[in-house]
Amino acid sequence: MKAYKVYAINDGTVIDHIPNAKALKVIDILGLENKGILTIGIGFSSAKMGKKDIIKIENKYLKKEETDKISLIAPSATINIIKGGQLKEKRKIELPGEYKGIIKCLNPNCITSVKDVKTRFKIVGRSPLVLRCHYCERIIKSGEVEIL
Ligand SMILES: [Zn+2]
């Protein structure tokens, strides 16, 4: 693994290839403020992306629900799992087939707005992202996404 200008971590997760200036948004949706040591790099040069952001999270490995959330903001991101100072796993963020309990349905009459039902959204368009509510079929475009 390439050495970055920010210090290396021994155990945890590195989220790389985040679009520039989106790192803080990623931290926000993951609820990582005040949850341990974070290193944030903003505006690194990237051959592929021009500029990119990087987040290092010590002693934490992301759950599927968390990488699903990241896919809403940074679908190009890569996840690096570091254990004992070694890169153990590197994977790309993947758009899930369905987002469960992550996105708010904007239809106030939807059963998920009225009752305690987990929202479910299917992906109907990928670039740009377009989602459809499983229950009321309301279409939500990427600019309208509200994360729960
Ligand atoms: Zn709905």
Side-chain angles (χ1 to χ4, degrees):
M1 192 179 148
K2 229 195 309 182
Y4 294 113
K5 285 173 193 156
V6 281
Y7 82 106
I9 60 173
N10 235 2
D11 292 285
T13 304
V14 177
I15 311 170
D16 197 356
H17 301 108
I18 300 166
N20 188 219
K22 293 283 175 75
L24 295 176
K25 182 83 189 152
V26 171
I27 288 165
D28 186 38
I29 58 150
L30 293 180
L32 291 173
E33 305 92 343
N34 309 314
K35 290 262 174 75
I37 300 174
L38 283 180
T39 311
I40 305 163
I42 294 176
F44 283 85
S45 306
S46 161
K48 206 161 57 175
M49 305 173 66
K51 282 192 184 297
K52 66 173 183 180
D53 293 355
I54 297 171
I55 302 169
K56 298 188 177 193
I57 311 161
E58 291 205 32
N59 301 315
K60 180 176 167 65
Y61 304 102
L62 298 175
K63 299 186 193 85
K64 184 181 185 302
E65 189 194 287
E66 293 171 310
T67 52
D68 285 355
K69 284 184 180 178
I70 295 170
S71 72
L72 290 167
I73 296 169
S76 60
T78 48
I79 304 289
N80 299 283
I81 307 294
I82 315 289
K83 287 183 180 166
Q86 301 287 317
L87 176 62
K88 286 288 173 205
E89 191 190 332
K90 187 180 184 109
R91 64 171 194 267
K92 284 201 151 81
I93 292 273
E94 283 173 11
L95 293 184
E98 186 175 63
Y99 289 100
K100 282 186 193 164
I102 288 178
I103 298 164
K104 186 179 188 291
C105 184
L106 300 176
N107 173 4
N109 299 317
C110 180
I111 187 159
T112 63
S113 305
V114 179
K115 292 194 172 165
D116 187 20
V117 175
K118 270 197 175 182
T119 64
R120 288 171 64 184
F121 281 89
K122 280 253 185 307
I123 295 174
V124 291
R126 285 173 177 263
S127 189
L129 189 66
V130 181
L131 303 162
R132 186 176 60 220
C133 177
H134 171 78
Y135 298 101
C136 72
E137 304 203 324
R138 171 76 175 244
I139 294 288
I140 300 203
K141 296 183 184 139
S142 63
E144 304 173 321
V145 169
E146 276 183 49
I147 295 166
L148 291 168

